[in-house]
Amino acid sequence: MILKVLLLVIFFAIMIGVGIYSRRQAKDVNGFVLGGRSVGPWLTAFAYGTSYFSAVVFIGYAGQFGWKYGLSSTWVGLGNAFIGSLLAWVIMGRRTRVMTHHLDAKTMPDFFGKRYESKSLRIAASTIAFIFLIPYTASVYKGLSTLFGLAFNIDYRWCVIAMALLTAVYVILGGYMATAINDFIQGLIMLGGIVAIILAVLKGQGGFLAAIQKLSEIPTDPANTNPALQNMKGSFVSFFGPDPANLLGVVILTSLGTWGLPQMVGKFYAIKSERAVKTGTIVSTFFAVVIAGGCYFLGGFGRLFDSPAIYGANGKIMYDSIVPQMLATLPDILIGIVVVLVLSASMSTLSSLVLTSSSTLTLDVLKETVCKKLDDKKTLLTMRLLIVFFIVISVVIALNPPTFIAQLMGISWGALAGAFLAPFLYGLFSKKVTKASVWICFIYGVGITVANIFLKFMNPINCGALAMVGGLVIVPIVSLFTPKMKKDDVDQIFTCYDEKIQVTAKTVLVEEEPN
């Protein structure tokens, strides 16, 4: 216990120290929100990766989907790495940095307002972001509940409050730069921790091959609820698992979703240089392969730890208890490492969420409506106050969470990415996107997610995936039949891509003129 507490104290001290160190970078709005657009490649890459993965993945998703799909759930982690990280950087990274800098857009709602020349779109996007980032934040808090109960035998509510206070302190002090530096430190902890945990868990099962053998002997449908799967064995170690269709929905939601999340796309706004794009692409992809691939691979062995501890009073499986149950047999030192690992993952995500929510509400709603005359100093103060407000709301929800972690995250990602992904992505590449198509996509993404909360016509995960894919179809179709923006205005926006720059010969080969 002393060792575990000591690890936490050191962790907390480093986080606060970074916040104090970063205060000089957070003296104006641009520095507080974007780090002055001067964040280096490694910090940007780790900020992207650590904002992506939190206790939601390690505790909630790895446990639930590892139980349902076995080792095939590793596909989710690989999808996160190659779709959610690699392709996102390659397709969106450079263009996002160039256009947002040209438009002087500091947030995603700010981009919508300036790219589509609509103040109402900006306000609507900010409202959507603020509302639906709250359940995601609550899911991060919830991911720590059973874990801290395992490690310290204390009421997790005190852990939630402590985390909230710590997050508020270093984000309020140092803004984006503090979160970026802390994300780098937390990312290193996550990389080392996940490898150690996987090796320890497999060793406890007699090694990798022995664990595979045990998992292959588990019936796919022990309760015999599906005649097609009765007495089938080996599907939990198969290539696509027992339910490939729903597995694909999880891959889409958790991978494609990052392309439309304000706290993820915002990392591209702060890129410093071309080198940062190239390095960030490689580092963030490697980070995602290790962390996401490792988490889902670990979760795939969850059924080997079947015990009464993972079942609720009604006999239903408590998915959020599966991974903590896997870790319960580990030595205390490894449990301490797990706690710091998950805390690192969660703190990095929380800091990104609260900074995104407060900045969008301040810059995109208050300054555009009731507080138009706010100067830079008062704007900074407002953002810091809203950080506290956002954290308080999310803590209240986290103390009495309505559902499993995966479902909370599905609601949040479905609404946000369903509304924002298509208008943002197409807005970077096409001059033909119309305001009406953006409005329709906003209504569709939020509408289908909210309707599913009350009507429950499909799994929240699949609903979120449908919202994202549907938006990609809706925007180009609606744009064909609705009024276009003024050609001169759009052309002016896209001039940022045509600006000529000089580079060295080691960067680009210059063709020699023929003799």
Side-chain angles (χ1 to χ4, degrees):
M1 181 63 69
I2 294 175
L3 181 61
K4 288 183 282 191
V5 171
L6 181 62
L7 286 172
L8 283 182
V9 170
I10 294 172
F11 177 83
F12 291 158
I14 292 174
M15 297 303 103
I16 294 176
V18 169
I20 295 172
Y21 169 79
S22 304
R23 282 185 301 171
R24 61 186 181 184
Q25 298 281 349
K27 294 181 179 179
D28 57 29
V29 172
N30 190 51
F32 189 80
V33 177
L34 298 174
R37 296 187 192 267
S38 61
V39 182
W42 285 83
L43 291 185
T44 302
F46 271 76
Y48 186 90
T50 54
S51 296
Y52 198 164
F53 309 115
S54 66
V56 174
V57 172
F58 189 78
I59 301 297
Y61 271 31
Q64 178 165 337
F65 300 128
W67 183 275
K68 288 182 176 180
Y69 309 123
L71 292 184
S72 66
S73 64
T74 307
W75 281 110
V76 182
L78 296 178
N80 293 174
F82 295 107
I83 300 174
S85 292
L86 178 62
L87 280 183
W89 276 81
V90 170
I91 294 175
M92 299 176 65
R94 185 179 293 102
R95 279 183 172 260
T96 299
R97 171 62 173 83
V98 171
M99 185 174 281
T100 57
H101 182 70
H102 176 69
L103 296 174
D104 192 29
K106 296 180 177 64
T107 64
M108 183 178 273
D110 194 12
F111 171 86
F112 288 129
K114 291 174 178 176
R115 167 63 180 84
Y116 299 108
E117 298 178 339
S118 171
K119 183 186 293 187
S120 55
L121 271 178
R122 181 179 181 180
I123 294 173
S126 180
T127 304
I128 293 170
F130 187 83
I131 292 173
F132 287 98
L133 282 175
I134 291 175
Y136 185 23
T137 308
S139 71
V140 176
Y141 284 125
K142 189 173 187 289
L144 290 162
S145 59
T146 50
L147 183 65
F148 268 78
L150 165 69
F152 297 101
N153 196 29
I154 59 174
D155 192 324
Y156 108 97
R157 289 177 292 184
W158 296 111
C159 163
V160 169
I161 294 171
M163 269 189 63
L165 290 173
L166 179 61
T167 305
V169 168
Y170 82 75
V171 176
I172 288 173
L173 284 174
Y176 182 84
M177 187 58 75
T179 66
I181 296 174
N182 275 328
D183 287 349
F184 180 75
I185 297 170
Q186 292 158 353
L188 293 176
I189 295 171
M190 291 166 66
L191 286 171
I194 190 64
V195 173
I197 301 310
I198 291 174
L199 293 176
V201 170
L202 291 180
K203 183 180 179 181
Q205 292 296 315
F208 174 67
L209 293 179
I212 291 288
Q213 176 65 32
K214 294 176 185 178
L215 194 61
S216 68
E217 296 172 354
I218 297 176
T220 302
D221 183 31
N224 290 327
T225 58
N226 187 342
L229 301 177
Q230 284 182 9
N231 301 318
M232 180 186 291
K233 294 183 179 180
S235 63
F236 292 119
V237 296
S238 64
F239 198 65
F240 290 120
D243 191 0
N246 280 316
L247 177 63
L248 178 61
V250 178
V251 173
I252 293 173
L253 176 78
T254 61
S255 302
L256 196 60
T258 59
W259 296 33
L261 296 179
Q263 74 275 16
M264 300 298 297
V265 176
K267 302 298 185 290
F268 298 142
Y269 288 38
I271 292 173
K272 182 179 182 179
S273 64
E274 174 66 19
R275 185 172 65 90
V277 175
K278 294 178 180 178
T279 305
T281 302
I282 297 170
V283 174
S284 66
T285 303
F286 170 78
F287 185 87
V289 168
V290 176
I291 299 301
C295 286
Y296 288 107
F297 175 75
L298 176 66
F301 292 98
R303 284 182 179 265
L304 299 182
F305 297 84
D306 192 356
S307 73
I310 66 172
Y311 294 90
N314 56 5
K316 291 185 177 181
I317 299 173
M318 305 297 291
Y319 292 114
D320 300 342
S321 299
I322 294 172
V323 171
Q325 184 63 28
M326 295 174 70
L327 305 175
T329 57
L330 297 180
D332 280 348
I333 179 62
L334 281 179
I335 291 179
I337 292 174
V338 171
V339 171
V340 176
L341 183 159
V342 179
L343 191 59
S344 296
S346 302
M347 293 295 295
S348 56
T349 302
L350 285 173
S351 62
S352 179
L353 292 173
V354 298
L355 185 60
T356 300
S357 62
S358 67
S359 59
T360 56
L361 194 60
T362 303
L363 300 176
D364 303 314
V365 176
L366 297 181
K367 286 202 71 173
E368 291 297 312
T369 54
V370 296
C371 303
K372 294 181 179 181
K373 296 182 179 180
L374 278 181
D375 58 22
D376 211 55
K377 186 176 180 180
K378 291 180 179 178
T379 301
L380 273 175
L381 176 61
T382 303
M383 279 194 284
R384 286 174 164 131
L385 291 174
L386 284 175
I387 285 173
V388 176
F389 175 68
F390 182 86
I391 287 176
V392 168
I393 294 176
S394 57
V395 165
V396 169
I397 295 176
L399 293 178
N400 187 27
T403 186
F404 293 124
I405 291 173
Q407 280 63 45
L408 276 175
M409 183 174 163
I411 291 169
S412 176
W413 281 40
L416 291 170
F420 296 158
L421 192 159
F424 189 88
L425 180 62
Y426 288 129
L428 294 175
F429 287 86
S430 175
K431 298 180 180 181
K432 298 179 180 180
V433 182
T434 64
K435 296 178 188 177
S437 70
V438 179
W439 276 115
I440 294 297
C441 194
F442 280 11
I443 294 169
Y444 166 76
V446 173
I448 192 172
T449 303
V450 173
N452 191 50
I453 294 174
F454 296 101
L455 301 179
K456 294 180 172 54
F457 49 81
M458 69 169 59
N459 184 303
I461 309 299
N462 291 336
C463 181
L466 179 62
M468 296 174 198
V469 175
L472 292 171
V473 176
I474 287 172
V475 169
I477 291 178
V478 174
S479 294
L480 291 174
F481 305 102
T482 50
K484 305 293 186 292
M485 295 177 61
K486 293 180 181 179
K487 185 178 183 302
D488 291 344
D489 293 345
V490 179
D491 288 343
Q492 174 58 34
I493 291 172
F494 276 78
T495 56
C496 60
Y497 296 140
D498 300 322
E499 182 181 350
K500 296 185 185 301
I501 58 174
Q502 290 183 333
V503 295
T504 60
K506 68 179 180 182
T507 304
V508 177
L509 289 175
V510 180
E511 293 184 8
E512 294 185 4
E513 294 184 5
N515 293 329

